[in-house]
Amino acid sequence: MVAEALPGQVVDEGPPAVNQSTAAALANITVDKLDDSVKNWLNDKNAETLKGALAFVPFILQEAYFEGNLDPKQIVIHRGSGGVVFSDASGFTALTEKLAKKSNGAELLSQCLTAFFTPLIDLINAYRGDTIKFSGDALTIYFPSVDDTKCAAFGAGIVPPHGSFGLPDLGPMATAVLRASACCIEIHKRLHMFETGVDDVRLCLHIGVGCGEITILQVGNIVPPETHIPRIEYLISGAPLEQISIAEPLAKNGETCLSPQAWELVRDCVIEGRPLEDRMDFHLLLRMDESKYTFPTIKYATQLYDNREERCFQLDQLNITRRYIPSAVFKQIECGTLQYVNEMRNISVIFISGSGLEVMSKNGPNQAQELMSEVQKVCYAHEGTLNKFLIDDKGMLFLLVFGLPPLVHPDDPTRAVLATMELVQVFKKLDLVGRFGVTTGRNYCGVCGSAKRMEYTVLGDSVNLSARLMTNAPPLGVLTDEETSKHSTGELVFKPLAPIKVKGKVNAIPIFKPLTREANSVIGLNLERKIRFPWYDNILDGSSINSKDPVSTCKAKVQHLCSINKWPGIKVANDLLGGPYNKALHTADQTVGSSTSRTKAPPDSPFGKGGLVVIEGATGLGKIELAEHIVTHCAMQFQMLPIFGTMGPRPGETIRMIVELLRSIIAVCRNIGTNVPTDDVQALSQLVPAQHVSSMPVLRELLSNRASTAATPEVLDAALKVILELMMGLKKQTGLLVVLQFEQGSSLFEKTTQKDLEVFWMITSKISNYIMKEPSIAGLVLISQADRKQPCVKDAEKATPCALITLKGLNEENILEYMANYLSIPEQSVPPPLRRFVSQVTTGNPLYIRETLDQLIEEQYLQVKPNGSANLTAGALDNIDIAAWNHTAMVGGTVCRIEALDPIETAALKMSTCFEGPFTLPDLAASSCSQWGGSTHFDLLRLFKATQKLKLRGFIDQVQSPVASTPRSAGDAKSRFGEIQYFQMQSALIRTVGAAMVLEAQKKSVKRNALIDRVLKNDLPERMEQLAAKKSVQHIPWYYERALRRMLP
């Protein structure tokens, strides 16, 4: 660890492990030992980062820090008074809808936002306003009440705080409201009917002004999954917020409405506009009373006494800004690529309206902190982003977004709805009322504001629709739109409701009430002695469980894959089972106990002597298919009856695992015993051992699917004791096969599943310890990546024969057979170009192969005829746009992996797609940090680190140096830094998906810069030597040459 951080240096609190020698070397590094060039480079980089970060932090937070009120554990960071302005823009929805249809829509909208908000925020700052929050295209602005007569710059008081000579001082509060009023009037004069240049769309503002006591809170402090920095949200609350919630809707476009409290303070300073017949106590602002006050004088006096710049964050406070800025945005600021954060993308949005929480009450701040932390936990558990928490004209509002980098998933609509259902329980627990709206669509995602003050936000039609659905939702109710219902997985059921009319829409909008899919109460052996596998009803194999007949679908997958005799996975399984794959065992009408040809498992196999088999592999590689074959074979041939317990892919599913274990054990008891009730609760009451009867109330709740039952250590311990006791009683009557599975699904970060995974291994360890002692019980563990530190995994790895099965992609021969099986055609009927294409794109993943073939058939590039032949349309493989298949696990998952990278890693990957053959680090540096462009070795080192991470994660591969005579050669194999490393992107899938994110002009630029860099490095040294040699020879101009000759003897 570095002994002393440089000023403003961002120190990673969760560094990777280093060896002892490296750690010792780092421990001796101090600031005084660093070269001045290193210090200057770090300070320059951090200064640039700080400049960008300050635009995301309002002045009041910085002031709170210098007053000692910004400790992360402190909730109330500021109490004060002043004017509060809520400025809402009209026209952005129409603008976003029009630009969303254009290829460069994000760029054009970003330009419009900057052109509009830059003068707006400049005016706000000029009148000492502090932009606290962006609510989409609306702003909440605080004009603090400050006594400028006590300011050091006030001096003899030549210029009064209000700027007009000869008039008495209005006092701090009235002066603050006067400045707010003058600011609003000037904003209307300069920005009313602002021309966007897009199809005659114009922007205008309607504004509400209030005043009084305000409180600013910071709440949250929960760590998101993609970073180690806790995320804190700040909000402003108080009576002025209630005032502007009434005032702002009363103002039409181009108008400003003052609350009664604000009007009383400035009624003698301004001219009133048209009367408001419905609310005579509220007043419209027409203009300043210019006989007393003018814009220039008010603005001049305001700026004269404005000392906020003296209390801004410096380099020492750079780390503090990270708490208040989304981690993805901060990384873009660090890399100097903030302009690339603006984009149009498909996202799922949750709007939440909350009531029942009085922030200004004595216990209000603590309640707000509890609510925010609970909302953050649920949001982050589903890998979403909490974009906003604020109090505005709609009350207490939350804005959650699913699909923002780096948290992008193919199943974001499902994640959003599942998170909403959990949040309903949060509001119930806290005795609050919440209304929820969920929508999915294409929206602008990027920064909104100017270089001086901005926020990352989302704008668009579906964002607005989410807010409309929220207002129409019943208390503690959830409404979703049609797009969300279409793109969600089978975990959810959507009940159509009567369409509703909403603001901004001509036609009525179809709405839906989401419901969780009713869980199948039968797990394991059913009453017909057929096996009901848990993956028939849960997303455990990467599918969407939308199939009408999941049983037939899953059995077909088993037959397609396990019938490949040369597949390494089935070969190992056959060795452990002592027999080949038998297709007859997997027919739909097979029942346990009906087979007459029973056999015994090999004596040295875990299925013969007891033990554990572990199958690891990424989603889609065949874990489920192989497990179903093993379980079916053991049940039919060895009379080993199955017990199931699965977790994932959603967070907090520990209870489901326990419930499945209980239900499947009861099912075994019911099939081998007599008079066991068909109701699981009654059955368990009859079967539970006497010493565990006290646990029945908890177990009854578990089996009754009570959502309130928490997976506490006490609940898990009580349930596991009963499970092990029941297994002990069953072992004397029959063999058992306990199947335990953990599925990570589309979650991107280990932190998301860490707690669930720890619980899984705890349960697995306790069960495996029991299994290892009992020869009649075997275990089967399914997981993406087995933890080699777990004793049960070590035992499986050391067993003879080895009981740890690691699945990888199919080879080309297996791919051909699998394609033929899936298409139900002979292998020779598979077109060779199709075989090569599928092999290159899918990397041998069976799930990807199925998706690719389905897409080709759906898009009519591939025709499979009833006579067993298959034909590709002419030129089909040249016209396929794989990147458009983002709804598939293959492409969608690849996109998500790329989006989850850091900005510099993403840039390196995108540049890598531009090279067909091997490339080097200097090739990439030529476009991002060229030595000819003034970059330093530190910039090159950051790029080197990024390429190493890409190599480690399998995006690119290190390859041999190409032949020097080929045009791909990047020059000499050695440089002054040592041997040159060559890389290549060999995955056709990653290349295709990554290349779709790069514009053609950018591709040409990357190649051109790399070629120029290679030429310069090859030819420039020699030419410089020639030039130096030429300069070393004394040169005599020709017109002196004759004179010199005459002078010489």
Side-chain angles (χ1 to χ4, degrees), residues 388-519:
K388 292 285 185 295
F389 175 40
L390 50 92
I391 296 177
D392 66 0
D393 60 312
K394 298 180 181 66
M396 183 172 61
L397 290 177
F398 292 87
L399 174 60
L400 283 65
V401 186
F402 288 77
L404 295 179
L407 303 173
V408 182
H409 316 86
D411 57 349
D412 276 319
T414 301
R415 288 173 175 267
V417 176
L418 291 174
T420 305
M421 291 179 169
E422 286 189 37
L423 290 171
V424 170
Q425 300 304 319
V426 168
F427 275 72
K428 279 184 180 178
K429 183 180 71 172
L430 298 177
D431 198 22
L432 300 174
V433 176
R435 291 176 168 83
F436 305 81
V438 186
T439 58
T440 299
R442 187 170 174 80
N443 299 275
Y444 170 81
C445 308
V447 292
C448 180
S450 72
K452 294 181 180 178
R453 182 71 178 95
M454 65 179 75
E455 278 191 9
Y456 185 84
T457 191
V458 291
L459 299 171
D461 180 51
S462 70
V463 176
N464 294 335
L465 180 58
S466 177
R468 308 285 184 252
L469 296 186
M470 170 193 71
T471 57
N472 283 276
L476 296 174
V478 182
L479 294 180
T480 71
D481 67 339
E482 191 172 15
E483 285 297 304
T484 303
S485 68
K486 286 180 180 178
H487 294 94
S488 293
T489 61
E491 298 163 90
L492 299 166
V493 177
F494 291 85
K495 179 183 177 182
L497 302 177
I500 60 172
K501 292 281 293 182
V502 297
K503 179 182 176 183
K505 295 291 183 182
V506 177
N507 300 321
I509 299 297
I511 60 171
F512 300 82
K513 178 182 179 180
L515 303 167
T516 52
R517 190 168 179 264
E518 204 169 311

Side-chain angles (χ1 to χ4, degrees), residues 202-258:
R202 295 174 180 267
L203 306 178
C204 43
L205 297 161
H206 48 283
I207 305 174
V209 181
C211 68
E213 301 291 327
I214 65 100
T215 301
I216 294 182
L217 296 79
Q218 61 172 8
V219 289
N221 208 34
I222 303 298
V223 181
E226 76 276 15
T227 182
H228 60 272
I229 303 295
R231 184 79 168 92
I232 296 178
E233 294 288 337
Y234 54 88
L235 71 151
I236 181 172
S237 63
L241 276 297
E242 299 175 9
Q243 299 169 25
I244 60 176
S245 68
I246 303 172
E248 184 267 331
L250 294 174
K252 296 181 179 179
N253 286 336
E255 294 181 338
T256 297
C257 181
L258 272 65

Side-chain angles (χ1 to χ4, degrees), residues 679-904:
D679 181 78
D680 285 344
V681 175
Q682 294 177 12
L684 186 60
S685 300
Q686 179 178 313
L687 296 169
V688 67
Q691 66 269 31
H692 296 297
V693 171
S694 59
S695 301
M696 269 310 297
V698 174
L699 301 180
R700 186 177 294 110
E701 284 194 359
L702 289 175
L703 292 176
S704 300
N705 293 323
R706 302 276 177 85
S708 59
T709 308
T712 61
E714 294 76 18
V715 170
L716 295 177
D717 186 60
L720 277 173
K721 286 180 179 178
V722 172
I723 289 168
L724 292 175
E725 285 289 341
L726 291 175
M727 288 171 57
M728 189 177 297
L730 287 172
K731 71 176 182 179
K732 301 174 183 177
Q733 305 174 60
T734 183
L736 298 175
L737 176 58
V738 184
V739 182
L740 305 173
Q741 181 182 8
F742 183 88
E743 180 57 46
Q744 185 170 342
S746 59
S747 296
L748 297 166
F749 294 92
E750 292 182 2
K751 193 184 300 183
T752 307
T753 57
Q754 184 177 358
K755 289 184 179 179
D756 287 343
L757 192 58
E758 289 173 356
V759 174
F760 172 81
W761 282 120
M762 181 272 293
I763 295 173
T764 302
S765 295
K766 289 190 175 182
I767 293 178
S768 65
N769 288 339
Y770 178 74
I771 288 174
M772 299 304 289
K773 302 173 185 177
E774 302 295 337
S776 61
I777 304 178
L780 182 62
V781 176
L782 311 178
I783 194 164
S784 296
Q785 186 173 3
D787 184 358
R788 299 304 199 272
K789 297 179 182 178
Q790 296 293 330
C792 56
V793 177
K794 290 181 180 179
D795 292 339
E797 192 172 17
K798 294 177 181 177
T800 306
C802 180
L804 175 60
I805 305 174
T806 301
L807 298 182
K808 298 180 180 179
L810 305 178
N811 60 33
E812 290 194 14
E813 184 181 358
N814 295 158
I815 290 174
L816 174 60
E817 188 173 352
Y818 187 74
M819 291 171 63
N821 292 343
Y822 186 71
L823 297 174
S824 300
I825 61 175
E827 291 184 28
Q828 58 269 24
S829 296
V830 178
L834 176 63
R835 181 181 63 188
R836 290 192 294 270
F837 173 78
V838 172
S839 178
Q840 291 173 355
V841 170
T842 64
T843 62
N845 187 308
L847 172 62
Y848 295 175
I849 294 173
R850 296 195 301 270
E851 289 181 335
T852 302
L853 295 175
D854 288 342
Q855 286 298 127
L856 292 175
I857 293 172
E858 181 181 336
E859 296 176 10
Q860 298 183 353
Y861 290 122
L862 175 64
Q863 290 88 33
V864 180
K865 299 180 179 180
N867 61 2
S869 63
N871 295 322
L872 278 172
T873 57
L877 301 182
D878 297 327
N879 301 322
I880 296 173
D881 182 13
I882 298 176
W885 300 351
N886 53 11
H887 58 283
T888 63
M890 179 178 72
V891 176
T894 303
V895 170
C896 297
R897 288 178 61 204
I898 295 175
E899 296 275 19
L901 297 172
D902 285 344
I904 191 169

Side-chain angles (χ1 to χ4, degrees), residues 52 56 329-330 332-333 335-342 447 454:
F56 289 84
V329 175
F330 189 88
Q332 296 281 7
I333 296 172
C335 296
T337 55
L338 187 61
Q339 66 273 22
Y340 300 124
V341 80
N342 304 324
V447 292
M454 65 179 75

Side-chain angles (χ1 to χ4, degrees), residues 245-278:
S245 68
I246 303 172
E248 184 267 331
L250 294 174
K252 296 181 179 179
N253 286 336
E255 294 181 338
T256 297
C257 181
L258 272 65
S259 69
Q261 296 84 347
W263 177 255
E264 281 300 316
L265 294 173
V266 296
R267 61 186 306 167
D268 297 328
C269 308
V270 299
I271 304 299
E272 185 179 5
R274 63 178 177 84
L276 295 170
E277 297 178 359
D278 295 336

